[in-house]
Amino acid sequence: MNNEGRERVLAQIRQSLGRTGAAPLQPLPGTGPRPAYGGDVVEHFVAKMREKAATVESLNSLAEVGRAVQRFLEQAQAPSRVRAARALPDIAWPEGLQVEHGAARREDVSSVTPCFAALAESGGIVTLSGADTPSTLNFVPDNHIVLVFATQVQRHLEDVWALWRASGRPMPRTLNIISGPSRTADIEQTIQLGAHGPRRLHILLLPG
């Protein structure tokens, strides 16, 4: 249906409803039911992410990030090289660790990114695409390392949307909720990690 036909159909609908123009969009009042759970929201987030095969390391400060990344690469027996998002805060990278910025390439094995928020309810990392946070960093490399500040952890999904609206940011091309390493059971109903994205998701949890 072309635009002219679409407008003709909509005009007929408005006429049948007694309207002269398009009705303004109005947000629905109130909120829907939300799952209730107790305890500390950050602890709940960590438990949910570990249930989904992500690994979590708690750090005391941003100064520990560089060494933590290097330590993870050593444990994963990955090359001492990462592709990092330009949106990351200033990090003191250790000597011997090669850091390149920008969108991920096919040959990149590990990436380091920030996140917009973290979701405690079901466990998830929320990322927004942009020039300084290309989505390829979340899906191309085998190892995805994410910085999460405790204050970014939101209790429910609705809280993530409220946080985004309050930020004043424009709607990104892509918003991703990453709940763990990529996995599939298509082959003989056996879980395989890394089928459609990273086989490892490592979270560096920071205070503040």
Side-chain angles (χ1 to χ4, degrees):
M1 181 183 295
N2 58 29
N3 287 339
E4 183 179 347
R6 176 177 178 273
E7 287 303 319
R8 185 167 58 251
V9 170
L10 292 176
Q12 292 172 349
I13 294 173
R14 293 188 193 107
Q15 183 178 8
S16 68
L17 295 173
R19 296 176 180 170
T20 58
L25 294 176
Q26 297 291 339
L28 295 175
T31 60
R34 303 185 187 187
Y37 61 89
D40 181 77
V41 66
V42 175
E43 291 179 0
H44 191 86
F45 162 72
V46 170
K48 284 293 185 180
M49 295 308 297
R50 285 176 172 160
E51 284 179 7
K52 299 177 180 181
T55 54
V56 182
E57 180 178 0
S58 295
L59 304 179
N60 294 316
S61 71
L62 199 59
E64 299 178 8
V65 168
R67 180 58 189 135
V69 169
Q70 189 177 55
R71 185 166 55 249
F72 171 81
L73 297 179
E74 292 170 353
Q75 293 171 351
Q77 298 182 342
S80 188
R81 180 172 62 85
V82 296
R83 180 75 60 175
R86 297 186 189 280
L88 285 169
D90 290 335
I91 294 172
W93 299 108
E95 187 176 351
L97 178 61
Q98 182 181 351
V99 180
E100 299 178 357
H101 295 87
R105 301 173 183 174
R106 183 176 298 181
E107 63 269 20
D108 290 328
V109 177
S110 305
S111 65
V112 185
T113 73
C115 69
F116 173 71
L119 178 59
E121 175 184 338
S122 56
I125 301 293
V126 182
T127 66
L128 308 181
S129 64
D132 294 332
T133 52
S135 290
T136 53
L137 293 173
N138 306 329
F139 302 113
V140 173
D142 262 1
N143 304 309
H144 184 197
I145 305 168
V146 188
L147 272 62
V148 178
F149 290 89
T151 52
Q152 291 181 299
V153 180
Q154 305 298 307
R155 183 168 289 274
H156 294 107
L157 179 60
E158 291 85 351
D159 299 324
V160 173
W161 289 114
L163 182 67
W164 170 74
R165 285 192 292 268
S167 73
R169 298 188 184 194
M171 175 63 75
R173 289 288 300 274
T174 307
L175 182 147
N176 294 297
I177 301 178
I178 303 167
S179 58
S182 171
R183 64 181 67 201
T184 183
D186 290 345
I187 303 173
E188 298 182 352
Q189 300 301 298
T190 301
I191 293 293
Q192 300 289 333
L193 297 180
H196 309 294
R199 65 183 66 249
R200 300 180 189 88
L201 175 63
H202 186 57
I203 297 166
L204 298 179
L205 184 60
L206 293 153

